[in-house]
Amino acid sequence: SKALDLPATTPPPGEEFPVDYVIEPAFLAVSLLMIMTYAIHFYFCRMRLSSSTVFGFGKRVRGLWVQKIMSEQKNYILGIQTLRNEIMVGTFIAKSSFLGITVIVAAAGAVDLPARLEEINRLDILVGKHSSPVPQSLKIVVLLLLQGGVFIAAVQYLRLIRHMSVQLGNCSGPGAQDEHEQDFLVRTVTSMYNRSAIFFFVAMRLMLLSFPAAGWIFGPTACLATSVLTVVFMYIMDRVSNSSDKLATRVEGLSTSPENAHAA
């Protein structure tokens, strides 16, 4: 059988691979354009039709959850258990990003990582016989910055969740019996919960963007392919089905109308 004609990973003696100033910049520009276009699309959807996005849907559900948990003392245990689960998720994300940073830094210190990645980059089916115009070390730095952003956002998310648990404990105090004080605590905890959700959203977005950044290290073709998959995945995950929206509307109506809740 005939062997596969793979691109050479080293140039002939006395020669160097030409630098690719066309395909890789074009693929990189298309990848960035797709991601930025979707980010703008998601922003306008959140501003105009917030109920159709998971961000707006989650904001409604979080407000209902806080109001329900803080309405009766018997629900406090459920609230603490839910916050514990939130802390476990945030801790897992923070540990994963920190582990990724540690592995990349350790690999860069143990071997000549840019040179090894340059050899892997030569396996690209389109630009295998060309050198990248961007140094591999810069690509590694971009990936490290994204993982660092994931870690910082996850830590801020955990900080706000911890403050929420403290505020939730204040509901059992003497001041929580006052109606105005109770309403103030509910609004404070809801606002804190929504801010924590923003940091969680940022952490997950940076985590997803790490895949195109990692694909860029292995060549422009991998970068473009992972960018397409990432945008498609974000579009699917950011949409809220009609059944979920109707369920949230019904729960909101039952929560705000005691008569309807009693009738149901």
Side-chain angles (χ1 to χ4, degrees), residues 65-83:
W65 182 85
V66 172
Q67 184 178 3
K68 181 66 175 179
I69 292 299
M70 301 181 68
S71 61
E72 300 179 10
Q73 291 188 358
K74 65 179 182 180
N75 297 326
Y76 294 161
I77 299 299
L78 176 61
I80 295 299
Q81 290 177 344
T82 304
L83 292 180

Side-chain angles (χ1 to χ4, degrees), residues 7-9 11 16-24 118-119 121-133 136 139 219-220:
T9 57
E16 294 183 358
F17 285 117
V19 180
D20 173 39
Y21 291 106
V22 179
I23 298 180
E24 182 166 344
E118 185 69 26
E119 294 180 1
N121 191 38
R122 300 279 164 73
L123 298 176
D124 191 287
I125 59 177
L126 295 180
V127 295
K129 295 184 179 180
H130 294 77
S131 298
S132 174
Q136 291 292 331
K139 300 178 182 179

Side-chain angles (χ1 to χ4, degrees), residues 12-249:
E15 299 183 10
E16 294 183 358
F17 285 117
V19 180
D20 173 39
Y21 291 106
V22 179
I23 298 180
E24 182 166 344
F27 278 25
L28 181 61
V30 172
S31 301
L32 291 175
L33 182 62
M34 284 192 303
I35 295 174
M36 293 178 62
T37 300
Y38 177 77
I40 296 173
H41 168 75
F42 178 79
Y43 174 79
F44 282 106
C45 286
R46 187 176 66 86
M47 296 298 294
R48 297 179 180 179
L49 300 172
S50 60
S51 60
S52 64
T53 64
V54 69
F55 199 86
F57 176 80
K59 185 176 182 180
R60 294 170 59 188
V61 173
R62 285 189 296 270
L64 295 174
W65 182 85
V66 172
Q67 184 178 3
K68 181 66 175 179
I69 292 299
M70 301 181 68
S71 61
E72 300 179 10
Q73 291 188 358
K74 65 179 182 180
N75 297 326
Y76 294 161
I77 299 299
L78 176 61
I80 295 299
Q81 290 177 344
T82 304
L83 292 180
R84 182 192 62 182
N85 296 335
E86 297 268 10
I87 291 175
M88 292 176 61
V89 173
T91 303
F92 174 77
I93 296 175
K95 285 184 177 180
S96 299
S97 61
F98 187 79
L99 179 62
I101 295 173
T102 304
V103 170
I104 295 174
V105 173
V111 297
D112 190 1
L113 188 60
R116 295 293 180 87
L117 293 177
E118 185 69 26
E119 294 180 1
I120 297 176
N121 191 38
R122 300 279 164 73
L123 298 176
D124 191 287
I125 59 177
L126 295 180
V127 295
K129 295 184 179 180
H130 294 77
S131 298
S132 174
V134 181
Q136 291 292 331
S137 56
L138 181 59
K139 300 178 182 179
I140 298 174
V141 169
V142 171
L143 183 59
L144 287 174
L145 289 176
L146 289 173
Q147 290 297 309
V150 172
F151 179 78
I152 294 174
V155 169
Q156 293 301 313
Y157 167 75
L158 292 173
R159 179 182 67 86
L160 290 171
I161 292 296
R162 183 181 66 85
H163 292 333
M164 275 186 59
S165 63
V166 175
Q167 293 296 329
L168 194 62
N170 292 334
C171 298
S172 59
Q177 304 300 325
D178 182 73
E179 181 179 354
H180 297 288
E181 182 70 16
Q182 181 75 6
D183 181 67
F184 174 76
L185 287 175
V186 169
R187 287 187 284 107
T188 300
V189 174
T190 302
S191 176
M192 198 173 297
Y193 204 2
N194 289 330
R195 289 201 302 270
S196 69
I198 294 176
F199 282 108
F200 184 82
F201 177 82
V202 171
M204 294 305 299
R205 276 294 184 269
L206 293 178
M207 182 70 75
L208 289 174
L209 293 178
S210 298
F211 289 98
W216 186 26
I217 294 177
F218 295 96
T221 305
C223 178
L224 182 61
T226 52
S227 297
V228 172
L229 293 176
T230 300
V231 171
V232 172
F233 179 80
M234 289 191 296
Y235 178 81
I236 295 174
M237 298 302 297
D238 289 341
R239 307 296 296 179
V240 175
S241 62
N242 293 331
S243 58
S244 299
D245 184 60
K246 291 178 180 179
L247 176 61
T249 303

